[in-house]
Structure formats: structure tokens, C-alpha cells
Amino acid sequence: MMKNNLDPLKTSSYDYFLPKELIASKPLYPADSARLLVYDRNSDTITHTTYKHLLDFLPQDLNIFLNDTKVIKARIYGQKESGGKTELLFNKPLFMNRYQVMIKGKVQKGSKLFFDDNLIAEVLELNEDGTRVVKFFQNEKQLDFETLIKILNKIGHLPLPHYMNREDEKEDEKDYQTLFAKNYGAVAAPTASLHFTDEILEKLDNNYNINYLTLHVGAGTFKPVDAEDILEHPMHSEYFEISRKSLENLKQDKKILAVGTTVTRTIEYFARTNKIQGECDLFLNPANKPIKVDHLLTNFHLPKSTLIMLIASFVGLEKTLEIYETAVKEEYRFFSYGDGMLII
């Protein structure tokens, strides 16, 4: 694409060429051997390193924020009343023990789907965006969120992103959770933190103020932007919560490093609304730049996604494409199990 055709408000401007072989389907071991592209905005320079050397590039006197959400085994396989196979992806709880899900294939209002462990889902609503509202039963008892999670984790599969092109395996139970995952509720991992080892966490803890917040990453994070104009994209919302300790540190004047796009959106949503709990639907892009987060550690994201637009909110569209072009040329590994970048 010619640089002079770029328009930060046009979805087509966020496309880039990615050879399929650069999409990571498995992580590297140890996790901190993953590569790290460091972009320094002051000197406009790119440095190639690994996560093992992360602390060599971090500014002093930072507040660091991490997302402690935990991925549910949200994908379950079952049968329709007709006997045909079906697949359901849990997305998030709504009110009154109703849940938003995605179901493969056609279903009607009132349809029932049958899964292992006597789990039954009854379809209550069909939403225009393709999601479905259901309630879950086991042995005729309607299930609350806590009970449902236990059943899903027993019978379900980790919902690896479609681009990995494979089923989940035993190793993913460890690899697709952060070391500090605590609160069940996500259907995708906050992937920037998957590169952390105990050693890195210990070093960060010894040198910086580490804070945790929770944003339950939903399936909407993978939803492509279909609108021609990015501002017409209906942004998905995800539940978040900021602890009292994290709130106190957010109110300080210290610079902030957000580990991941989910942390960035949570902090920026708080900065705009003062809310410490609720549904975050903030869409960061070049027309809506960060006002609170100073530095970002993140993975490489899908073309035309809201996440690559978030990167452009930090460094601009042209620089984003230039960095991604460099990453492709240098054969970085892309997406959830891939390498990462640090913006300082």
C-alpha cells in the first residue's frame, strides 16, 4: 500500500502482509526466550532483543499493571435435539444467570443443546451480532456463574484462537494461562503476559511497583473491523474490576507501563469515567489516544483489528505499519503465542 493513501480512520489502512508461517501455533520454551522488538519514541529507534532482557529497556520509577484474568475452558461440544452435532463457545455472564454465547450452526429460540455431565443450554435470544443468550441447567437446576465455570472446566476445551489451526492440548492448560491468572472469566488469554517467567516477575517485583487489575477478555477481541470507517465499528464490551491498591497507584503521578492491550483499555476507561468496575467498551485509535498509559508491552496483532488500531493510538498509523513491516522482515512470530513489542 502506498503510504500517501493511508488514512488513520479507514479500516483498509490497517492491513499488512503476513506470511502464514509467521503465525505462532505453539509458544517458545522458556517463555522469556521469545523475541522482543523495542520501539523508543524519543529516539525513533527499533532494537531487537528478547523478553529475558526486558528490564534493560524499562524506564525507572514505573507503576506496572498486569491483568490477572483466568481463561475458562469455554468451548464445549454437544448435540442438538435433532441429534446433530453442535459447538458452543461461552463468552460472558449477563444478569440473572443468563449467559452470552456463540453457537455453531442454526438454532431457534427455545432450542435445547445437550452436553457432557448432564449440562443443557436453552436458547433464550438470538442477537443480531450473531451471539446468543442462553441459560444453563444441570439435572433441572439452573446454574449460576460459579457452578457453570466448574462444569465448563471439567468438560470443556481451552478456546484457542482460530488462527492457531489446531485443537487444544494438555500443554495449553499451562501455556495459555499467565503465571498470575486468578479470576476465571476470560475466553482468551492476556497474551502479552504469557512471556513472563517466575524470574522476570521476581525482578519486576524487586524493582517496580506491580499492580493487578482484571478484565475478562471476551471473544469480541478477535472480531474483525468490518466497517469502512473505523469509528463506525461497534466496539465489544468486557467486564473489568480495579482493586483498591491498584486504584491508589493509578492516582499517582508515576509513569505507567500497561502489560497488554486489555490493561491499557481498562486504565484508559477508568481515566475517562472514574469507574473501577463494570463493562469497558473503550476503543483506542488515532482519533482517541491514550491519556494515562505511558508505555505498552504487547504482542503483534491481526490486520484490521481494533488491537492494531490501539497500537496506532500510541505511535501513529505510519509508524505502526513500519514496525510491523520490520517485524515481518525479521521473521518475528505473530499473535497469541508469538513474540512481542515494547513501546517506550
Side-chain angles (χ1 to χ4, degrees):
M1 179 185 291
M2 297 294 290
K3 286 274 197 309
N4 56 5
N5 288 339
L6 291 178
D7 178 345
L9 296 184
K10 289 278 174 280
T11 302
S12 55
S13 295
Y14 293 87
D15 204 1
Y16 65 90
F17 171 69
L18 181 69
K20 278 202 169 70
E21 60 271 21
L22 295 186
I23 298 172
S25 65
K26 299 221 165 162
L28 296 178
Y29 303 106
D32 62 4
S33 65
R35 292 166 76 195
L36 181 65
L37 183 156
V38 181
Y39 175 59
D40 184 328
R41 285 172 290 184
N42 286 336
S43 59
D44 188 25
T45 53
I46 287 174
T47 308
H48 302 291
T49 181
T50 64
Y51 271 82
K52 206 174 176 56
H53 301 287
L54 171 66
L55 274 84
D56 298 346
F57 295 89
L58 292 182
Q60 295 301 304
D61 206 27
L62 276 183
N63 269 325
I64 296 177
F65 288 83
L66 304 167
N67 185 359
D68 65 7
T69 188
K70 198 166 187 180
V71 184
I72 303 168
K73 289 187 176 178
R75 182 171 281 131
I76 52 175
Y77 298 97
Q79 288 185 316
K80 299 180 180 180
E81 287 167 288
S82 63
K85 287 182 176 176
T86 190
E87 179 187 323
L88 179 147
L89 178 70
F90 172 90
N91 193 14
K92 63 180 181 180
L94 304 169
F95 57 95
M96 303 287 286
N97 296 333
R98 294 146 62 95
Y99 304 93
Q100 189 193 78
V101 302
M102 292 160 105
I103 298 169
K104 254 199 181 152
K106 280 191 175 171
V107 286
Q108 308 291 329
K109 228 172 170 176
S111 297
K112 286 187 177 168
L113 308 173
F114 301 87
F115 303 94
D116 289 349
D117 226 29
N118 295 324
L119 181 68
I120 297 173
E122 185 184 331
V123 179
L124 305 176
E125 289 170 40
L126 310 175
N127 295 331
E128 277 181 26
D129 64 0
T131 59
R132 310 294 181 227
V133 178
V134 303
K135 49 187 175 183
F136 286 99
F137 295 90
Q138 188 185 49
N139 306 326
E140 295 184 11
K141 185 179 174 224
Q142 193 174 343
L143 301 177
D144 60 26
F145 185 43
E146 218 169 285
T147 313
L148 175 62
I149 284 175
K150 282 179 187 154
I151 297 167
L152 291 177
N153 283 336
K154 183 178 167 192
I155 69 168
H157 294 261
L158 276 171
L160 295 182
H162 60 90
Y163 47 70
M164 285 192 196
N165 255 336
R166 66 177 180 86
E167 294 296 310
D168 62 318
E169 296 164 11
K170 193 74 189 150
E171 290 80 20
D172 294 307
E173 294 188 17
K174 190 162 177 278
D175 294 338
Y176 201 59
Q177 300 279 18
T178 63
L179 290 175
F180 42 82
K182 189 170 124 187
N183 301 309
Y184 274 118
V187 299
T191 55
S193 304
L194 295 181
H195 305 289
F196 286 4
T197 55
D198 288 319
E199 190 188 1
I200 285 184
L201 275 176
E202 197 181 324
K203 278 185 187 168
L204 286 173
D205 213 19
N206 291 337
N207 290 280
Y208 295 98
N209 193 340
I210 304 260
N211 304 274
Y212 294 93
L213 47 79
T214 307
L215 180 130
H216 292 319
V217 194
T221 194
F222 301 115
K223 190 177 161 63
V225 178
D226 293 325
E228 213 173 289
D229 182 328
I230 68 169
L231 301 182
E232 285 170 17
H233 175 69
M235 190 63 181
H236 59 284
S237 73
E238 294 157 318
Y239 178 80
F240 77 97
E241 208 168 304
I242 298 171
S243 69
R244 184 162 291 184
K245 180 201 169 217
S246 296
L247 179 63
E248 281 167 16
N249 288 325
L250 268 180
K251 288 179 173 173
Q252 291 178 358
D253 273 345
K254 259 191 199 179
K255 298 262 182 185
I256 289 173
L257 168 70
V259 179
T261 57
T262 58
V263 171
T264 305
R265 289 177 55 241
T266 305
I267 292 173
E268 291 295 327
Y269 188 75
F270 162 75
R272 288 156 170 77
T273 63
N274 254 345
K275 290 181 180 171
I276 57 167
Q277 185 183 15
E279 291 282 324
C280 170
D281 62 355
L282 181 66
F283 179 17
L284 291 169
N285 58 67
N288 188 21
K289 294 178 179 179
I291 56 175
K292 185 81 178 155
V293 174
D294 302 284
H295 311 288
L296 172 64
L297 182 64
T298 185
N299 278 29
F300 292 99
H301 305 292
L302 290 153
K304 298 184 182 177
S305 63
T306 58
L307 303 181
I308 192 171
M309 292 165 189
L310 181 147
I311 305 306
S313 76
F314 277 85
V315 300
L317 171 60
E318 283 198 28
K319 185 52 71 175
T320 300
L321 293 175
E322 193 185 306
I323 291 169
Y324 271 58
E325 218 171 89
T326 303
V328 169
K329 196 171 142 213
E330 296 288 332
E331 297 187 342
Y332 274 70
R333 299 159 74 255
F334 276 63
F335 307 156
S336 299
Y337 273 151
D339 300 317
M341 67 183 284
L342 172 66
I343 298 171
I344 53 173

